[in-house]
Amino acid sequence: MAENQDRGSTRQLSEKPIVRWAGKDILGIQELSVAEIQFILDTTGSFKEVSTREIKKVPTLRGKTVINLFFEPSTRTKTSFEIAAKRLSADTINISTSSSSVVKGETLIDTAKNLEAMKPDCIVIRHSASGAPHLLARLMDVPVINAGDGAHEHPTQALLDLFTVREKAGRLAGLKVAIVGDILHSRVARSNIHGFTKMGAEVHLAGPPTMKPAAVERLGVHWHTSLAEVIPEADVIMMLRIQLERQEGGFFPTLREYSRLFGLNVDILKPAKPGVLIMHPGPINRGVEISPEVADGPFSVILDQVTNGVAVRMALLYLLVGGEKEADRSSL
Amino acid sequence: MAENQDRGSTRQLSEKPIVRWAGKDILGIQELSVAEIQFILDTTGSFKEVSTREIKKVPTLRGKTVINLFFEPSTRTKTSFEIAAKRLSADTINISTSSSSVVKGETLIDTAKNLEAMKPDCIVIRHSASGAPHLLARLMDVPVINAGDGAHEHPTQALLDLFTVREKAGRLAGLKVAIVGDILHSRVARSNIHGFTKMGAEVHLAGPPTMKPAAVERLGVHWHTSLAEVIPEADVIMMLRIQLERQEGGFFPTLREYSRLFGLNVDILKPAKPGVLIMHPGPINRGVEISPEVADGPFSVILDQVTNGVAVRMALLYLLVGGEKEADRSSL
Amino acid sequence: MAENQDRGSTRQLSEKPIVRWAGKDILGIQELSVAEIQFILDTTGSFKEVSTREIKKVPTLRGKTVINLFFEPSTRTKTSFEIAAKRLSADTINISTSSSSVVKGETLIDTAKNLEAMKPDCIVIRHSASGAPHLLARLMDVPVINAGDGAHEHPTQALLDLFTVREKAGRLAGLKVAIVGDILHSRVARSNIHGFTKMGAEVHLAGPPTMKPAAVERLGVHWHTSLAEVIPEADVIMMLRIQLERQEGGFFPTLREYSRLFGLNVDILKPAKPGVLIMHPGPINRGVEISPEVADGPFSVILDQVTNGVAVRMALLYLLVGGEKEADRSSL
């Protein structure tokens, strides 16, 4: 197992274990096997190349319809999915809460069933309620991709994070990954805890005690109450966005105080390893959880994450809608 | 005439009377002839098949531009038109009130004339004012499709309803069609009264007296004050969405009272014919005008209506934008 | 130079001076040379023809992605850019403030850098802050087109105005162009002052003294305090939209008063030249700055402006994204 997990992205395609993609949906990292994650990351590599071409488009999903059903505002995730679908030649339909008949009181299930009746090939959903995508996936034949559900999971974010680390560090297994900030409310943290742990990395969490999930150690991770404590050993430092409205909720006293204790800056980063990777799912609060010098600095891979987000979403749309269902799984 | 109206959808295409499509716009069912309606329904059959293909796309409207100009919020109708246009390979432009320069006080006519100057090939308009699409159609050379104007007409809804009934029942003429609820404020009811009556069906309306249009019997329909009264004879029962805000307007005392008198449920449906078709234009208020057991039950064709909505809109876009203008009309 | 400026649009393509398009961005008319403006106008001519075809589409930008990033509401400009991009076969992504993560407090630069990381080929930006497009253009490798920045510039509007005048009048140099209304707050005025002046036209401004920019004469234009004064000599009369909210700002007493002094109507137009061109960037306030008889009258080219807007934006997208970078500049 460790051998499989430890492969760099430079290995030959022919050497990789091939899986037949069997899943209908992408709902969370928790539901994915190590082999499935590896297969997604390998597939992502092929699609990343497309966006570097002069003509950034392949005909893979021509005549397919992808619906982006977003019940929460979003720029980067929605745009990333839309660009991914279009680069595969799919038609895209964007539906946002404000313009939706949800204002008329229709239930989520009825909205989804109605969209399904128009014969789309994939529904990408973001919803503030944890489990909303799972509910839809159970009730519908069409593939569903979770683009973020409440504080539960954000699997495509974790997959792009895993891809970015594997691309930069050459491996995932054995790495020490620090995730810092509001762990309690973060679907990004939750998905990445599952993802990095599954792939053999060691996950270290740091944040204020008010933002520590109950019994988080049961997930096989380590808890730290100070940012400084996780810096020296970390191969990866992933900063989480602090939701400014949490201050009113009493989760931390002031932004200045939060920033002093859990903000990443050049000073606190001094004992870090030479090749440490600085990550952030965005949008960043400059000067709060991360200083501009670090966000724009040499160790930051924040914009690589964004670039890889398009590639990982192309790979997922391809796997769920376009094929590989017939591939050989015997070598697994 | 009765012979023509009584054809089932299984007849050979070659046996059908062919019309040369002459109309520029689709503004209402009231303006359409029986032959035109039949021609649209027959054309819809061909396009329904496209959405069942692996590659759900035909090049018919490549290089054409369809503008969806929506002054009222809508998910299903706007999405249905957008998917229809894209499956014909047209380019689509969505304009909604909120993002439109209508906020700057421009008149409807100026908005439309400006859009026309960008050389689109069709404008689909939904507006809260009855007659708005007719005004535009008079002033513009570009084809206009009414996607709902005030309480006046919603012709594409009626066409998809007619298509669904003809598909399921094999015919339209001679059927007894019950339309139940807020007839007074419903453009869906108005278009369907015209449509089913023209096609030789017998239309029965039921609803609270406050929701009865004045002199509705002049349209050749029958009025009933009780839902139970129309159930036993009906081949089709079409429930209308109750607008919750009508309660404040004093049109009915409470939702519970409305539901008790005019809500469709398993009990009241007991004396219905074996093959009765239950329809609803959506979005449904579960437990108000229709119970979940009936909406999701074996007689419901609600989701078939949605599927057929895409097909009928493809047919209309094809007829208005793409062609058939040269077809032979001599056999009529 | 005067000879070059004086060319009509009917000249043979082979006779035109060819420039190799070197600019990365279109930020303002102020930054463009006379040769560059001419080259854009000439290129626009070729693209105008595309929108008259049965199939209004060319494959020029297939596989390219154009992002419309609009921080201010807009129908016509956004739609014009979207149609232009689609007629060149580009994929388009629309991002408007309301649906954007700007609500989460992300900086403009971070929003743009993130979008750039998704590898688009052009970003079209409208922003209420003057200079916002210039900031992005400096920081990004991707071409940026200014679709309006504060009260600063609206270069694509000026280019379509120049094209329209050249098309109708056969030339630009030597013409007398009157721009009337709220010069102080108008990016359209500012861009057109630069554009017409550069191309050898004589620019006359008229408006209330409260709407006169300080030291505007330094731009080489003439200031008039009365509309009547500029009518008899003008070859072109360009009316500006009055922002109704300026009244509250005290810039004019009442709309009626404004209209009486600076509104264009049939009466005041009597001493105008026979072939005078009436222009307006839209949306028009009927009966305020322009009477319906004049807006819809024989001298109005307002809808031609809109049609030409699509063509000029096709030309710009083509020049910045698609090519001509290798063309011969030696003949300049």
Side-chain angles (χ1 to χ4, degrees), chain A residues 112-125:
Chain A
K113 289 297 247 180
N114 271 284
L115 292 174
E116 190 184 29
M118 297 183 200
K119 310 299 182 199
D121 298 278
C122 187
I123 293 184
V124 177
I125 179 174

Side-chain angles (χ1 to χ4, degrees), chain A residues 51 54-57 74-76 79-80 82-83 86-87 241 283-284 286 303 306-307 310, chain C residues 62-65 91-93 95 99-101 104 106 110 113-115 117-121:
Chain A
S51 291
E54 184 65 23
I55 295 193
K56 291 184 275 280
K57 196 156 186 153
S74 161
T75 300
R76 83 191 52 220
T79 302
S80 183
E82 190 177 352
I83 288 180
K86 284 180 162 151
R87 291 202 177 142
R241 175 180 174 78
I284 64 177
R286 293 180 168 265
L303 293 177
V306 178
T307 300
V310 174
Chain C
R62 199 171 64 81
K64 307 292 188 185
T65 306
D91 290 322
T92 57
I93 303 284
I95 301 175
S99 68
S100 131
S101 81
K104 297 190 190 168
E106 191 180 44
D110 281 335
K113 288 296 246 180
N114 271 283
L115 292 174
M118 297 183 201
K119 311 298 181 198
D121 298 278

Side-chain angles (χ1 to χ4, degrees), chain C residues 151-172:
Chain C
H152 179 225
E153 279 240 31
H154 190 351
T156 61
Q157 178 69 43
L159 288 166
L160 72 88
D161 291 336
L162 291 167
F163 182 85
T164 304
V165 172
R166 198 181 80 163
E167 186 183 50
K168 298 287 176 185
R171 63 190 175 104
L172 293 169

Side-chain angles (χ1 to χ4, degrees), chain A residues 33-170:
Chain A
S33 71
V34 171
E36 284 173 327
I37 294 173
Q38 278 175 339
F39 190 59
I40 293 168
L41 301 186
D42 293 347
T43 309
T44 299
S46 327
F47 282 104
K48 183 168 181 182
E49 183 267 327
V50 172
S51 291
T52 66
R53 296 182 192 170
E54 184 65 23
I55 295 193
K56 291 184 275 280
K57 196 156 186 153
V58 288
T60 319
L61 298 193
R62 198 171 64 80
K64 307 290 188 185
T65 306
V66 175
I67 295 182
N68 285 325
L69 181 58
F70 274 65
F71 292 90
E72 286 184 349
S74 161
T75 300
R76 83 191 52 220
T77 305
K78 191 171 65 176
T79 302
S80 183
F81 269 109
E82 190 177 352
I83 288 180
K86 284 180 162 151
R87 291 202 177 142
L88 294 168
S89 300
D91 289 322
T92 56
I93 303 284
N94 288 319
I95 301 175
S96 303
T97 328
S98 59
S99 69
S100 131
S101 80
V102 174
V103 299
K104 296 191 191 168
E106 191 180 42
T107 68
L108 171 64
I109 294 170
D110 280 335
T111 299
K113 289 297 247 180
N114 271 284
L115 292 174
E116 190 184 29
M118 297 183 200
K119 310 299 182 199
D121 298 278
C122 187
I123 293 184
V124 177
I125 179 174
R126 167 167 288 191
H127 201 284
S128 58
S130 298
H134 308 68
L135 179 66
L136 296 195
R138 259 200 315 280
L139 295 170
M140 302 203 295
D141 292 329
V142 65
V144 173
I145 299 180
N146 180 2
D149 64 320
H152 179 227
E153 280 239 33
H154 191 351
T156 60
Q157 178 70 42
L159 288 166
L160 73 88
D161 290 336
L162 291 167
F163 182 85
T164 304
V165 172
R166 198 181 80 163
E167 185 182 51
K168 298 288 176 184

Side-chain angles (χ1 to χ4, degrees), chain B residues 39-106:
Chain B
F39 190 59
I40 292 169
L41 300 185
D42 293 346
T43 309
T44 299
S46 328
F47 282 104
K48 184 169 181 183
E49 183 266 327
V50 173
S51 291
T52 66
R53 295 183 192 169
E54 184 65 22
I55 295 193
K56 292 185 274 280
K57 197 155 184 153
V58 288
T60 318
L61 298 193
R62 198 171 65 80
K64 307 291 188 185
T65 305
V66 175
I67 295 184
N68 285 325
L69 180 58
F70 274 65
F71 293 90
E72 286 185 347
S74 161
T75 301
R76 83 192 52 220
T77 305
K78 191 171 66 176
T79 302
S80 183
F81 268 110
E82 190 177 353
I83 289 180
K86 284 180 162 152
R87 291 205 176 138
L88 295 168
S89 300
D91 291 322
T92 57
I93 303 285
N94 288 319
I95 301 175
S96 303
T97 328
S98 59
S99 67
S100 130
S101 81
V102 173
V103 300
K104 295 190 192 169
E106 192 180 42

Side-chain angles (χ1 to χ4, degrees), chain B:
Chain B
M1 192 55 130
E3 187 189 86
N4 276 347
Q5 290 173 23
D6 208 345
R7 290 172 309 103
S9 60
T10 52
R11 282 266 211 109
Q12 292 287 312
L13 197 74
S14 59
E15 295 175 41
K16 286 169 188 165
I18 300 294
V19 299
R20 184 196 312 207
W21 189 259
K24 178 176 86 73
D25 314 293
I26 297 290
L27 300 176
I29 301 296
Q30 191 169 15
E31 289 90 341
L32 294 176
S33 71
V34 171
E36 284 173 327
I37 293 172
Q38 279 176 339
F39 190 59
I40 292 169
L41 300 185
D42 293 346
T43 309
T44 299
S46 328
F47 282 104
K48 184 169 181 183
E49 183 266 327
V50 173
S51 291
T52 66
R53 295 183 192 169
E54 184 65 22
I55 295 193
K56 292 185 274 280
K57 197 155 184 153
V58 288
T60 318
L61 298 193
R62 198 171 65 80
K64 307 291 188 185
T65 305
V66 175
I67 295 184
N68 285 325
L69 180 58
F70 274 65
F71 293 90
E72 286 185 347
S74 161
T75 301
R76 83 192 52 220
T77 305
K78 191 171 66 176
T79 302
S80 183
F81 268 110
E82 190 177 353
I83 289 180
K86 284 180 162 152
R87 291 205 176 138
L88 295 168
S89 300
D91 291 322
T92 57
I93 303 285
N94 288 319
I95 301 175
S96 303
T97 328
S98 59
S99 67
S100 130
S101 81
V102 173
V103 300
K104 295 190 192 169
E106 192 180 42
T107 68
L108 170 64
I109 294 170
D110 280 335
T111 299
K113 289 296 248 179
N114 271 283
L115 292 174
E116 189 183 30
M118 297 183 200
K119 311 298 180 198
D121 298 278
C122 187
I123 293 184
V124 176
I125 179 174
R126 166 167 289 191
H127 200 283
S128 59
S130 298
H134 308 67
L135 179 65
L136 296 196
R138 258 200 317 280
L139 294 170
M140 302 203 295
D141 292 328
V142 66
V144 173
I145 299 180
N146 179 2
D149 64 320
H152 180 227
E153 281 239 32
H154 190 351
T156 61
Q157 178 69 43
L159 289 166
L160 71 90
D161 290 336
L162 291 167
F163 181 85
T164 304
V165 172
R166 198 181 79 164
E167 185 183 50
K168 297 288 175 185
R171 63 191 176 103
L172 292 169
L175 294 183
K176 290 200 163 71
V177 177
I179 306 178
V180 182
D182 184 1
I183 311 292
L184 179 61
H185 302 95
S186 172
R187 56 195 176 205
V188 173
R190 205 166 309 263
S191 287
N192 269 311
I193 289 169
H194 288 303
F196 280 100
T197 305
K198 284 189 186 205
M199 303 312 285
E202 201 177 289
V203 175
H204 294 259
L205 307 175
T210 50
M211 293 172 164
K212 180 188 175 189
V216 71
E217 289 88 352
R218 271 192 247 155
L219 295 172
V221 300
H222 309 267
W223 182 264
H224 304 262
T225 50
S226 130
L227 171 57
E229 203 175 308
V230 301
I231 299 279
E233 298 285 318
D235 298 293
V236 174
I237 302 172
M238 182 184 294
M239 304 305 296
L240 298 176
R241 174 182 175 77
I242 189 78
Q243 304 290 334
L244 306 185
E245 61 272 25
R246 298 288 177 221
Q247 195 184 334
E248 291 159 30
F251 289 95
F252 58 91
T254 65
L255 278 185
R256 177 186 294 260
E257 185 73 1
Y258 180 84
S259 183
R260 197 178 61 78
L261 290 169
F262 292 97
L264 196 65
N265 56 46
V266 172
D267 278 346
I268 202 170
L269 210 46
K270 272 180 187 148
K273 288 187 180 177
V276 65
L277 301 176
I278 308 296
M279 308 181 80
H280 192 298
I284 65 177
N285 294 306
R286 292 181 168 265
V288 182
E289 73 263 3
I290 191 164
S291 76
E293 293 75 23
V294 175
D296 306 330
F299 305 121
S300 169
V301 296
I302 295 175
L303 294 177
D304 298 272
Q305 292 173 270
V306 178
T307 300
N308 291 335
V310 175
V312 86
R313 287 165 185 129
M314 290 176 77
L316 293 174
L317 290 170
Y318 165 71
L319 290 174
L320 299 190
V321 180
E324 278 306 297
K325 307 211 172 183
E326 299 313 306
D328 187 12
R329 204 177 192 167
S330 57
S331 59
L332 254 188

